């Protein structure tokens, strides 16, 4: 069964509902207006709403973060600059050290190169000097005294070359024969007058108190008399001691001994020091007994022979007081030339 509502009642209900809706709408609208009004008032007071506050806080945080980052960046840049400066300083020190090391190494190489070069030049000079010495030495053993004198008169520098090589050879000998002769003279009277045949650098004269006449092919010292030793300017029978220290060189060595016999006083001394191999028949040298015999036939008496040294032999003679009026031909043995091997 359908109930019909009168039109007046329906209109009344509709009006009532419309009023309720209006009231509700007004309430919601009023609330919204109050919130909006509150936010507007806040803006006037310098405050913002919750959302703006968060944004401001976010911006502030972001700004602080950027500031912090900027400060950190500045510090970092400073640290980077410091680290870069340190690295540059270290790099510069390393470069300087490297340069110093390289310079030192170059200096060492240069010094070593100069030392090697100097050593090489010294060796070449020594070889050249040794070669000259051997050539001149061979010449002196294979020519006469007169020829040797002319040889050095034409080029006196050759004499210096020879004696430089001679001194170098003597430096390898454990004992020098001239020192033994010096000692012998010191053990005898200083009043004895000495003739040094083939004196070289006149070492004998410089080391004894005796009056010494020094003879050689070239006079490199004011005290040395340059001459052919077979023809000295000394008077006959004016000398007490005649010395031949490694100087019986040349094909006419016997003429030097004849000159010594002429200038020596009766009972005067003849001292001969010679390389031992020259008197070794086993190596092509002369028979020492034949040599002694020949010297004695010249007018001497053999006093003593010293062959204790491995490098040289020493022979001591005295001139006979009375000389034989009859002179026979003396057979002199050939003395082996003292030639040095090439090294």
């Amino acid at each position: 069964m359908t109930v019909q509502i009168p039109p007046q009642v329906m209109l009344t209900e509709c009006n009532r509902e419309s009023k309720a809706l209006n009231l509700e709408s007004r309430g919601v609208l009023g609330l919204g207006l109050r919130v909006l009004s509150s936010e507007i008032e806040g803006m006037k007071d310098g405050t913002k709403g919750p959302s703006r506050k968060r944004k401001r806080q976010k911006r502030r945080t972001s700004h602080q973060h950027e500031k912090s980052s900027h400060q950190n960046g500045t510090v970092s840049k400073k640290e980077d600059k410091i680290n870069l400066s340190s690295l540059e300083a270290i790099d510069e020190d390393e470069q300087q050290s490297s340069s110093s090391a390289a310079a030192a190494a170059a200096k060492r190489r240069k010094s070593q190169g100069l030392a090697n070069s100097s050593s090489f030049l010294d060796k070449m000079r020594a070889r050249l000097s040794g070669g000259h010495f051997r050539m001149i030495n061979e010449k002196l053993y294979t020519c006469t005294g007169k020829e040797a004198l002319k040889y050095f008169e034409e080029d006196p520098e050759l004499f210096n070359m020879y004696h430089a090589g001679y001194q170098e050879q003597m430096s390898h000998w454990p004992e020098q024969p001239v020192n033994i002769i010096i000692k012998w003279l010191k053990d005898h009277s200083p009043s004895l007058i000495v003739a040094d045949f083939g004196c070289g650098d006149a070492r004998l004269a410089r080391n004894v108190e005796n009056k010494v006449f020094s003879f050689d092919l070239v006079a490199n010292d004011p005290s040395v008399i340059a001459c052919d030793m077979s023809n000295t300017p000394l008077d006959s029978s004016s000398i007490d001691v005649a010395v031949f220290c490694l100087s019986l060189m040349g094909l006419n060595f016997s003429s030097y001994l004849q000159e010594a016999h002429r200038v020596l006083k009766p009972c005067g001394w003849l001292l001969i020091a010679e390389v031992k191999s020259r008197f070794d028949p086993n190596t092509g040298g002369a028979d020492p007994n034949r040599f002694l015999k020949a010297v004695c036939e010249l007018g001497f008496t053999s006093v003593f022979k010293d062959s204790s040294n491995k490098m040289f032999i020493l022979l001591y003679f005295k001139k006979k007081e009375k000389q034989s009026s009859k002179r026979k031909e003396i057979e002199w043995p050939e003395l082996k030339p003292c030639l040095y091997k090439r090294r």
Side-chain angles (χ1 to χ4, degrees):
M1 177 176 179
T2 304
V3 179
Q4 294 184 352
I5 300 174
Q8 294 179 349
V9 175
M10 187 176 294
L11 180 62
T12 303
E13 288 297 327
C14 288
N15 289 335
R16 189 179 294 150
E17 289 178 4
S18 177
K19 288 180 181 180
L21 287 171
N22 288 334
L23 289 173
E24 186 176 356
S25 298
R26 288 178 183 177
V28 172
L29 181 59
L31 179 61
L33 290 173
R34 284 195 298 273
V35 171
L36 180 60
S37 177
S38 175
E39 289 181 0
I40 291 171
E41 291 297 326
M43 291 176 66
K44 289 180 179 179
D45 296 337
T47 60
K48 294 184 179 179
S51 61
R52 290 179 179 271
K53 187 176 182 180
R54 282 194 299 273
K55 289 180 181 180
R56 184 179 179 184
Q57 185 68 30
K58 185 176 181 180
R59 284 197 300 270
R60 184 180 298 169
T61 303
S62 176
H63 177 69
Q64 290 177 351
H65 179 71
E66 289 176 0
K67 185 176 180 181
S68 175
S69 297
H70 176 71
Q71 291 176 349
N72 292 337
T74 303
V75 173
S76 178
K77 286 180 181 178
K78 289 182 180 180
E79 291 177 352
D80 288 345
K81 287 182 180 178
I82 293 171
N83 292 337
L84 182 59
S85 299
S86 301
L87 288 173
E88 288 176 349
I90 293 170
D91 186 52
E92 186 177 353
D93 290 342
E94 288 179 351
Q95 287 179 356
Q96 289 178 353
S97 299
S98 239
S99 299
S100 299
K107 188 175 181 181
R108 284 195 300 271
R109 286 195 298 270
K110 184 177 180 181
S111 177
Q112 186 176 3
L114 290 174
N116 291 338
S117 177
S118 177
S119 177
F120 174 75
L121 290 174
D122 289 341
K123 288 179 181 178
M124 291 302 295
R125 290 191 188 100
R127 290 186 64 180
L128 185 61
S129 177
H132 285 154
F133 167 72
R134 286 189 297 270
M135 178 188 70
I136 300 168
N137 183 71
E138 185 173 347
K139 173 72 175 179
L140 296 177
Y141 273 106
T142 56
C143 71
T144 65
K146 187 176 181 179
E147 291 170 341
L149 180 62
K150 184 179 179 181
Y151 180 65
F152 286 128
E153 282 177 346
E154 291 175 353
D155 190 353
E157 184 60 28
L158 293 175
F159 186 80
N160 296 330
M161 290 182 183
Y162 170 75
H163 272 280
Y166 172 82
Q167 293 297 336
E168 201 280 329
Q169 292 291 333
M170 289 296 100
S171 67
H172 300 293
W173 285 28
E175 191 172 18
Q176 303 291 317
V178 67
N179 292 335
I180 297 176
I181 294 173
I182 289 171
K183 185 178 182 304
W184 186 91
L185 287 170
K186 287 182 176 180
D187 291 339
H188 291 72
S189 173
S191 64
L192 296 177
I193 301 173
V194 181
D196 186 5
F197 290 80
C199 65
D201 60 357
R203 181 176 178 181
L204 179 65
R206 294 197 306 270
N207 287 277
V208 295
E209 296 179 8
N210 307 69
K211 170 65 178 176
V212 179
F213 292 95
S214 301
F215 302 106
D216 215 319
L217 296 169
V218 175
N220 281 345
D221 188 277
S223 65
V224 178
I225 301 170
C227 66
D228 176 2
M229 292 188 299
S230 64
N231 186 23
T232 68
L234 295 173
D235 294 333
S236 297
S237 302
S238 60
I239 299 298
D240 295 299
V241 182
V243 175
F244 289 87
C245 185
L246 306 177
S247 57
L248 285 180
M249 306 172 72
L251 299 175
N252 63 324
F253 71 88
S254 61
S255 64
Y256 307 155
L257 295 174
Q258 290 171 359
E259 178 66 5
H261 181 272
R262 182 187 72 83
V263 301
L264 275 170
K265 297 175 182 178
C267 298
W269 287 92
L270 172 64
L271 308 183
I272 299 175
E274 264 304 330
V275 179
K276 202 168 188 178
S277 62
R278 300 190 76 191
F279 294 96
D280 185 359
N282 297 322
T283 59
D287 183 345
N289 294 324
R290 283 187 61 197
F291 181 79
L292 293 175
K293 181 182 177 182
V295 175
C296 290
E297 289 177 354
L298 183 61
F300 291 93
T301 300
S302 178
V303 178
F304 180 63
K305 179 177 72 172
D306 181 5
S307 56
S308 61
N309 193 283
K310 67 177 184 178
M311 303 300 293
F312 55 87
I313 187 172
L314 278 164
L315 305 173
Y316 299 82
F317 300 91
K318 287 192 78 171
K319 183 179 178 180
K320 294 177 181 178
E321 188 173 359
K322 293 182 178 181
Q323 297 295 316
S324 174
S325 58
K326 294 181 180 181
R327 289 290 180 91
K328 63 178 182 179
E329 190 70 25
I330 301 173
E331 294 183 3
W332 292 94
E334 182 181 352
L335 292 183
K336 176 186 176 181
C338 184
L339 305 179
Y340 295 91
K341 296 179 181 180
R342 293 185 180 183
R343 297 181 179 178

